[in-house]
Amino acid sequence: MLSVHKTQPTTSEPHPLSLTTHSTIGHLALADQHLDAQALGKDAMQMFSNNPGLPGLLLTDGEKMIGMISRQKLLEQMSRPYSLELFLERPMYALYPFVRTQFLTLHHTVKVADAVLQALQRPQELLYEPIVVDCDTDTYKLLDIHQLLIAQADVHRLTTQLLNKKTQDHLAQTEKMSSLGRMIAGVSHEIKNPVNCVSGNLEFLKKYIEDLFVLISTYRNKETIPTEDIEAIEKKVDLEFLLDDLPKLIESMALASERMVEIVSSLRNFSRMDHEKTQAVDIHRYLDGTLLILDSRIKAGIHVEKNYGNLPLVTCYPGQISQVFINIISNSIDALTEKQSARELRGETESERRTHKWTPTIQISTDYQCSENSKEIRIQLRDNGDGIPDEVRSRIFEPFFTTKSADDGTGLGLFISHQIITEKHHGRIHVESSPETGTLFEITLPC
């Protein structure tokens, strides 16, 4: 009695489908030939003879898989004295106890590299035994170890190519950021002198104008009647308006000058080459500097809430900490902008907007935690966007991983941020996210 079925050819050639670095054993060519336990030994020999690439047979009892017989073990057994006479005309269940071996069973979703590792960890005598692949719903197939090793070589080649490309991209990005940092440092230095000149002289200008106002007021209080030409000039320059508006103008210029000084200072802090020197700094200053640098994006309808605690000075690399804040807050702005655009595209009615009222918000909180064993500060950066899906959240700190287009992201921002916090500052960075609450990044730094 012979029961055989075959759904795809068995071959030792590479699978015709293109493999990727994430390919699983389910993507490879698998042998799908079963033999009923009631079939005779000669039927098994005939099947191997007809298909030289067949690595083994799955022994079944009805619809149930009860074992695996490899080509190597069957031929070894049949080459022994009297085996042909004993087993060729007997059912397979009589032969199976003599060729039975412990076989490795893997799920079809196991990655190629992981399957190779588990296969090579088997005892020496089982290294070349085929692997039983669980394809779900009580369906099993066989994977030739030779086929697996060829696939692993292909995946290794693809991985090497990808790493080479990513390394080149990383080097280019690093050089780009380095050049950008030098450029910002140079530009901010050039801007600083004229800005300081304007800012410093505004106080003198304000004092001079106040003195002129006193002089004008003194002249006007005199009992002498102004001449016609003086009256004409006062009317032409609208003296009353000038006396009222000029102090306001000076005040607005002073505020603008102060903001320019803050921006230049923030740019200088961000671009600093401080990788060899740490400083005790006020973290709040660098958080505010980050918000100032990103102000043009934040002003597009995003509300910022700050809840700063009483923090001590923290010894760190200030420029690197600024880079972490820039990366995380930029991602929050992207998430909020995407959610805002999605709501607009859905064409929500005024009633729906009132019912589902939502204001894009970034919350920044800090606090100081002191115990007998440690002293550390905690920085929480939260947004109320759509959150990060579970399958993405588990990979956000991987190098080169990004859900953005090549023009919008390199996949290095959060990876570098993780390195800066954990390796450079011996701190911790943790992320929580859900569609209901948005995303929270929590940074802990020792102090």
Side-chain angles (χ1 to χ4, degrees):
M1 176 180 179
L2 179 61
S3 175
V4 181
H5 69 271
K6 179 179 177 182
T7 58
Q8 52 178 284
T10 303
T11 173
S12 60
E13 295 300 320
H15 195 277
L17 296 176
S18 297
L19 297 179
T20 70
T21 55
H22 300 291
S23 290
T24 66
I25 56 177
H27 294 128
L28 307 181
L30 304 176
D32 187 19
Q33 288 189 309
H34 298 198
L35 182 65
D36 193 277
Q38 298 293 331
L40 302 180
K42 64 180 181 181
D43 296 325
M45 293 293 289
Q46 186 63 44
M47 292 175 68
F48 283 120
S49 177
N50 292 340
N51 194 340
L54 185 64
L57 298 172
L58 293 168
L59 197 63
T60 60
D61 183 5
E63 296 296 326
K64 183 179 179 182
M65 194 270 288
I66 60 173
M68 185 274 292
I69 300 176
S70 69
R71 172 189 290 273
Q72 178 181 341
K73 294 301 181 183
L74 181 63
L75 293 181
E76 285 180 358
Q77 179 62 39
M78 288 302 188
S79 64
R80 294 175 180 174
Y82 308 110
S83 287
L84 292 175
E85 292 83 353
L86 285 173
F87 298 116
L88 282 182
E89 297 297 333
R90 291 190 178 185
M92 289 300 298
Y93 65 79
L95 171 63
Y96 187 60
F98 294 91
V99 297
R100 177 188 297 169
T101 58
Q102 181 181 3
F103 54 84
L104 175 63
T105 302
L106 298 176
H107 196 262
H108 68 93
T109 57
V110 174
K111 291 185 178 181
V112 170
D114 295 332
V116 170
L117 180 62
Q118 294 187 55
L120 295 179
Q121 288 175 340
R122 295 181 294 180
Q124 182 72 28
E125 64 273 13
L126 301 178
L127 279 181
Y128 295 100
E129 288 290 283
I131 297 170
V132 177
V133 180
D134 181 358
C135 299
D136 291 332
T137 64
D138 294 328
T139 302
Y140 296 89
K141 299 180 182 181
L142 284 179
L143 173 60
D144 187 2
I145 190 67
H146 178 65
Q147 170 86 356
L148 177 62
L149 293 176
I150 290 176
Q152 167 65 1
D154 198 17
V155 169
H156 179 73
R157 176 180 56 81
L158 293 172
T159 302
T160 302
Q161 291 176 351
L162 180 62
L163 285 175
N164 287 338
K165 182 179 183 303
K166 293 298 186 181
T167 300
Q168 293 300 321
D169 291 344
H170 191 184
L171 291 173
Q173 182 69 12
T174 301
E175 178 58 28
K176 179 180 177 181
M177 291 301 296
S178 178
S179 299
L180 180 62
R182 291 192 295 269
M183 182 189 71
I184 291 176
V187 170
S188 62
H189 178 74
E190 292 299 322
I191 294 176
K192 181 183 178 182
N193 290 334
V195 167
N196 286 342
C197 176
V198 173
S199 178
N201 287 322
L202 277 174
E203 285 300 318
F204 295 104
L205 179 61
K206 184 178 180 181
K207 180 64 172 61
Y208 296 159
I209 289 176
E210 289 174 352
D211 291 342
L212 288 175
F213 280 3
V214 171
L215 179 62
I216 292 173
S217 177
T218 302
Y219 274 118
R220 298 183 74 184
N221 289 334
K222 292 295 182 180
E223 295 181 358
T224 56
I225 300 175
T227 61
E228 292 183 0
D229 55 343
I230 292 178
E231 289 181 343
I233 293 175
E234 288 183 357
K235 185 176 181 180
K236 182 179 179 181
V237 301
D238 195 352
L239 183 61
E240 297 300 330
F241 173 77
L242 188 150
L243 294 174
D244 178 65
D245 191 58
L246 190 54
K248 299 177 183 177
L249 179 64
I250 296 298
E251 186 64 28
S252 65
M253 291 175 63
L255 291 174
S257 175
E258 181 180 345
R259 185 168 180 81
M260 288 177 66
V261 171
E262 292 174 352
I263 292 174
V264 170
S265 177
S266 298
L267 288 174
R268 285 172 59 83
N269 289 334
F270 177 70
S271 64
R272 288 181 57 189
M273 302 299 289
D274 56 6
H275 56 280
E276 293 180 353
K277 184 179 180 181
T278 59
Q279 285 189 350
V281 300
D282 178 6
I283 287 294
H284 294 155
R285 176 186 174 192
Y286 287 85
L287 283 167
D288 291 338
T290 299
L291 295 174
L292 193 60
I293 291 173
L294 297 174
D295 186 60
S296 61
R297 299 188 63 197
I298 292 173
K299 285 193 298 187
I302 297 176
H303 177 61
V304 177
E305 296 178 2
K306 294 190 292 186
N307 183 21
Y308 289 170
N310 187 18
L311 300 185
L313 297 179
V314 178
T315 301
C316 64
Y317 298 101
Q320 295 182 13
I321 292 298
S322 291
Q323 185 176 0
V324 173
F325 295 156
I326 288 277
N327 291 338
I328 294 177
I329 296 177
S330 292
N331 284 343
S332 293
I333 294 172
D334 290 340
L336 295 173
T337 303
E338 289 175 7
K339 182 172 182 177
Q340 204 168 25
S341 300
R343 287 166 63 95
E344 293 173 357
L345 288 174
R346 286 199 299 267
E348 291 184 346
T349 64
E350 184 62 31
S351 174
E352 288 174 331
R353 280 195 290 270
R354 287 197 300 269
T355 304
H356 307 287
K357 188 176 180 181
W358 173 78
T359 302
T361 303
I362 296 176
Q363 296 175 325
I364 306 176
S365 304
T366 63
D367 62 72
Y368 174 53
Q369 298 175 329
C370 179
S371 66
E372 294 181 0
N373 299 324
S374 66
K375 295 180 180 180
E376 55 189 22
I377 67 162
R378 183 175 60 179
I379 306 152
Q380 293 185 326
L381 305 167
R382 183 190 295 275
D383 67 69
N384 61 344
D386 284 331
I388 306 173
D390 291 342
E391 62 274 13
V392 175
R393 187 170 67 250
S394 62
R395 302 185 60 195
I396 60 173
F397 295 124
E398 292 182 11
F400 307 110
F401 176 77
T402 180
T403 58
K404 301 176 182 178
S405 67
D407 294 333
D408 295 330
T410 63
L412 292 172
L414 291 178
F415 166 69
I416 292 173
S417 297
H418 187 272
Q419 281 192 321
I420 289 173
I421 297 299
T422 59
E423 297 179 16
K424 299 289 187 179
H425 294 84
H426 308 292
R428 302 185 302 277
I429 181 168
H430 172 70
V431 60
E432 296 178 4
S433 188
S434 72
E436 294 78 20
T437 60
T439 301
L440 167 68
F441 280 90
E442 183 175 281
I443 300 169
T444 305
L445 295 172
C447 58

